[in-house]
Amino acid sequence: MIEVKDVRKVFGTQEVLKGISAVFETGKNNLIIGKSGSGKTVLLKCIVGLLTPTDGHVLFDEKDYVAMNIDQKNEIRRELGMLFQGGALFDSLTVEQNVRFPLDMFTHMPLSEKRDRVNEVLKRVNLVNANHKFPSQISGGMQKRTGIARAIVMNPKYLFCDEPNSGLDPQTSIVVDELIMEITQEYNITTITNTHDMNSVIANGDKIIFLHEGNKHWEGDKYSLFESDNKELIDFIFASDFLKEARDARFNKLKNKV
Amino acid sequence: MAEYVHASGGPLFHIGRYVLMIKRSFAKPERAAMYWKETLVQMNNIGVGSLVIILLISFFIGAVSAVQFAYNLSQSMVPMYYVGFVVKESMILELAPTVSCLILGGKIGSNLASELGTMRLTEQIDALEIMGVNTISYLIGPKLAASVTMIPLLVVISAITGIWGGLLAGSMSGYVSGADYLQGVLMSFKAYNIFVMMVKSVVFGFVLTSVSCYQGFYAHGSAIEIGKASTRAVVLSCVMVLFADLILTWLLLR
Ligand SMILES: Nc1ncnc2c1ncn2[C@@H]1O[C@H](COP(=O)(O)OP(=O)(O)OP(=O)(O)O)[C@@H](O)[C@H]1O
Ligand SMILES: [Mg+2]
């Protein structure tokens, strides 16, 4: 379980996060949604420690991460996997070397064992026969899957995904979403995913946190999402006029039936 | 530490952050084997990768110095073998270390800054950080280690090539025979000057590498920033090398 308490983040004069408190549950894919610029990435980076919150606390299973020194943080970080928005694969290393990197750096496994583990996770993300390709030689979807493989190769307790399906076609996007979901449940991981992709919100929203201008504006799940009368949330979900009209049409139809 | 990446400030801020970076680049490695492997890669990039340009430049510098000096001597009473002596002295004391390091500041400096800048902007450094790697010591430590071993070696090669270039140009232009030139080269040989050359090359190597790594590691913004960071790396490394040259010459040759 990860808990954020009153997290604030100020850049210069701009207050990007205005005191956010939330609980992210274990074994669930916790979604952070909100429109572009609402502070999703900043919140995620504050949680993983790439940014230090101006105020507030981040607790990993009750332990205060913000207050830790660098060595203690590194301990936690070894139990943590992250999928970056752009993949962030090491471009001088092959797919296999990328996924093996954390094992090379932090374990004493013999090479053959590491290879087996790498092939196991690559198979898990449906990426076979790409072991010796470089990131520049594979597609965006394959890069995302390599990123997931690298994030889970150490069996993390916490998994963070920043926009896992940005830049992917709808089908690949669903594959990646399902993969994250399955891994989360299978290994009982605390997963936090940033997204503004409504398909994935509707498919995976066990627990949803809606950010608006640096505030937590709403919290719930995919069922309560559509019943909410929160104006900003409705504007976010039904972004286009077409969708709003479709919703109103359906609403009127329902009303007429009554 | 992550916090300071996006920050900016005056010269004092940069000096402070630079000093901290140097300090942290000596942190204990998580896995010595990985660092060693990375150091070998960097030694290859920095050392072998710069060999051809150093050979080329040093040869011409030696050759031109020899011909120029011989031309001046030809109108005086000074014996011609002095050409060998002067080319040797100037190669060892100034031209080999300083000119090589200015060239390397351009080549290695822009490489390192754009490599690290790209890693920063594509979040590869963040990815390392998240894994719990000490990014500064893993990314910068091996580069510094490779530089302070390979650059002195390149400088020695540069001095030898320059002296040899002088020999070739001097004898081909007919100013000074090979034997006379060599007599000059071997005349009043001072081991201390070699020591000065080595000190300079270690210091210059360290300065140009750390300054360039600093520019790349703390790059932030958009892709254009990578180009700007590598330009800054080159300019700043060259200025710092010249500055260090002046200080070291003062300190060592008094
Ligand atoms: N390092 C930084 N320095 C200054 N301002 C920043 C920094 N990082 C983010 N911001 C600001 O914080 C705000 C929120 O940015 P953030 O990247 O969190 O948005 P987001 O919700 O992830 O958007 P998107 O969906 O487009 O990824 C933006 O206004 C941005 O300008
Ligand atoms: Mg974002």
Side-chain angles (χ1 to χ4, degrees):
Chain A
M1 190 184 77
I2 296 173
E3 199 177 347
V4 294
K5 280 187 183 162
D6 224 15
V7 166
R8 275 196 338 121
K9 180 67 193 174
V10 180
F11 290 111
T13 54
Q14 187 192 4
E15 189 174 16
V16 176
L17 300 178
K18 300 170 183 164
I20 294 190
S21 300
V23 173
F24 302 98
E25 293 161 36
T26 305
K28 279 191 182 174
N29 188 2
N30 302 272
L31 302 184
I32 301 175
I33 64 172
K35 65 179 187 213
S36 189
S38 56
K40 302 184 295 294
T41 300
V42 172
L43 178 58
L44 204 65
K45 286 190 173 170
C46 283
I47 296 174
V48 299
L50 287 173
L51 292 171
T52 313
T54 312
D55 262 323
H57 299 278
V58 176
L59 308 176
F60 280 74
D61 291 316
E62 249 87 280
K63 285 171 286 194
D64 191 346
Y65 186 60
V66 180
M68 291 180 185
N69 68 27
I70 183 84
D71 291 326
Q72 293 167 320
K73 276 188 180 157
N74 281 345
E75 285 301 310
I76 297 264
R77 283 176 175 179
R78 279 164 213 169
E79 308 193 307
L80 174 163
M82 180 154 178
L83 173 63
F84 285 84
Q85 199 160 345
L89 300 177
F90 306 128
D91 37 38
S92 59
L93 303 181
T94 62
V95 166
E96 179 179 317
Q97 289 166 334
N98 259 287
V99 178
R100 208 177 66 207
F101 188 90
L103 300 175
D104 286 340
M105 199 65 152
F106 299 113
T107 73
H108 290 277
M109 288 183 186
L111 186 62
S112 60
E113 209 175 301
K114 286 191 276 199
R115 286 230 167 95
D116 289 345
R117 174 70 187 145
V118 168
N119 287 328
E120 188 187 325
V121 289
L122 282 176
K123 209 167 134 207
R124 187 71 195 75
V125 300
N126 284 318
L127 200 70
V128 284
N129 299 328
N131 287 36
H132 301 296
K133 294 209 167 114
F134 285 93
S136 58
Q137 299 168 328
I138 58 177
S139 71
M142 290 161 93
Q143 289 178 6
K144 282 266 153 82
R145 280 182 280 164
T146 309
I148 297 178
R150 187 178 66 183
I152 62 171
V153 72
M154 296 278 278
N155 281 322
K157 281 168 75 179
Y158 317 100
L159 181 64
F160 301 89
C161 307
D162 196 0
E163 317 253 351
N165 34 34
S166 68
L168 300 182
D169 64 86
Q171 263 174 327
T172 314
S173 169
I174 289 170
V175 172
V176 168
D177 277 344
E178 283 175 351
L179 190 61
I180 294 170
M181 205 64 197
E182 283 166 22
I183 292 166
T184 302
Q185 287 164 352
E186 203 174 313
Y187 302 108
N188 203 32
I189 301 173
T190 309
T191 301
I192 304 182
T193 302
N194 270 357
T195 185
H196 42 53
D197 182 280
M198 279 318 289
N199 281 329
S200 110
V201 174
I202 292 162
N204 307 314
D206 290 342
K207 162 114 194 182
I208 304 171
I209 284 166
F210 172 62
L211 288 194
H212 181 72
E213 291 175 358
N215 285 307
K216 186 176 86 178
H217 229 64
W218 182 85
E219 183 175 348
D221 61 20
K222 59 187 168 190
Y223 305 107
S224 53
L225 191 65
F226 295 97
E227 286 152 21
S228 161
D229 49 11
N230 185 308
K231 176 169 181 313
E232 282 77 19
L233 183 63
I234 293 170
D235 284 347
F236 174 74
I237 305 172
F238 302 101
S240 69
D241 289 341
F242 172 75
L243 283 175
K244 277 198 195 100
E245 276 164 27
R247 184 184 73 133
D248 293 345
R250 191 151 163 245
F251 198 70
N252 288 337
K253 227 188 211 167
L254 285 173
K255 238 180 12 193
N256 292 340
K257 267 189 195 159
V258 176
Chain B
M1 204 64 198
E3 202 49 15
Y4 300 127
V5 172
H6 303 283
S8 44
L12 273 181
F13 167 81
H14 286 289
I15 292 170
R17 193 168 66 167
Y18 171 80
V19 171
L20 262 173
M21 180 195 87
I22 301 280
K23 196 178 138 234
R24 288 199 50 197
S25 64
F26 292 111
K28 188 174 164 289
E30 290 85 5
R31 174 61 42 85
M34 290 290 278
Y35 279 62
W36 176 233
K37 207 172 109 195
E38 182 63 19
T39 306
L40 288 180
V41 170
Q42 296 299 334
M43 283 170 104
N44 184 53
N45 288 351
I46 292 172
V48 182
S50 313
L51 189 58
V52 173
I53 187 149
I54 288 296
L55 287 175
L56 199 73
I57 301 247
S58 310
F59 178 85
F60 280 98
I61 289 179
V64 171
S65 313
V67 174
Q68 217 171 64
F69 195 65
Y71 165 75
N72 287 327
L73 282 194
S74 66
Q75 293 153 353
S76 76
M77 302 298 289
V78 182
M80 263 307 172
Y81 62 77
Y82 261 92
V83 173
F85 176 73
V86 168
V87 170
K88 177 197 72 176
E89 288 292 288
S90 48
M91 273 321 283
I92 289 178
L93 276 180
E94 178 67 8
L95 294 176
T98 310
V99 176
S100 301
C101 287
L102 289 176
I103 300 295
L104 294 175
K107 185 178 179 295
I108 301 174
S110 60
N111 274 352
L112 293 180
S114 56
E115 180 189 328
L116 289 174
T118 306
M119 288 188 79
R120 166 67 69 199
L121 295 189
T122 55
E123 298 181 311
Q124 292 176 52
I125 296 182
D126 287 348
L128 283 170
E129 192 102 16
I130 284 296
M131 288 175 194
V133 177
N134 280 316
T135 47
I136 292 183
S137 67
Y138 178 64
L139 291 174
I140 299 176
K143 293 183 172 69
L144 284 174
S147 286
V148 298
T149 47
M150 295 315 278
I151 289 180
L153 210 65
L154 288 171
V155 167
V156 170
I157 293 173
S158 160
I160 295 171
T161 313
I163 293 169
W164 179 69
L167 175 101
L168 228 62
S171 58
M172 273 164 62
S173 62
Y175 277 122
V176 48
S177 75
D180 280 357
Y181 184 91
L182 280 178
Q183 187 195 345
V185 168
L186 296 174
M187 197 174 79
S188 78
F189 190 83
K190 289 199 206 92
Y192 183 73
N193 290 356
I194 305 281
F195 169 75
V196 173
M197 173 175 84
M198 295 318 275
V199 171
K200 279 187 173 181
S201 54
V202 170
V203 172
F204 296 170
F206 186 87
V207 164
L208 74 90
T209 306
S210 55
V211 165
S212 308
C213 285
Y214 177 84
Q215 293 299 336
F217 192 84
Y218 290 106
H220 57 93
S222 60
I224 305 170
E225 193 54 37
I226 298 174
K228 287 191 189 152
S230 49
T231 309
R232 273 201 307 273
V234 173
V235 174
L236 227 84
S237 328
C238 291
V239 172
M240 293 316 279
V241 162
L242 291 172
F243 193 64
D245 188 26
L246 183 62
I247 306 259
L248 283 178
T249 309
W250 259 338
L251 287 177
L252 295 172
L253 299 182
R254 43 166 77 229

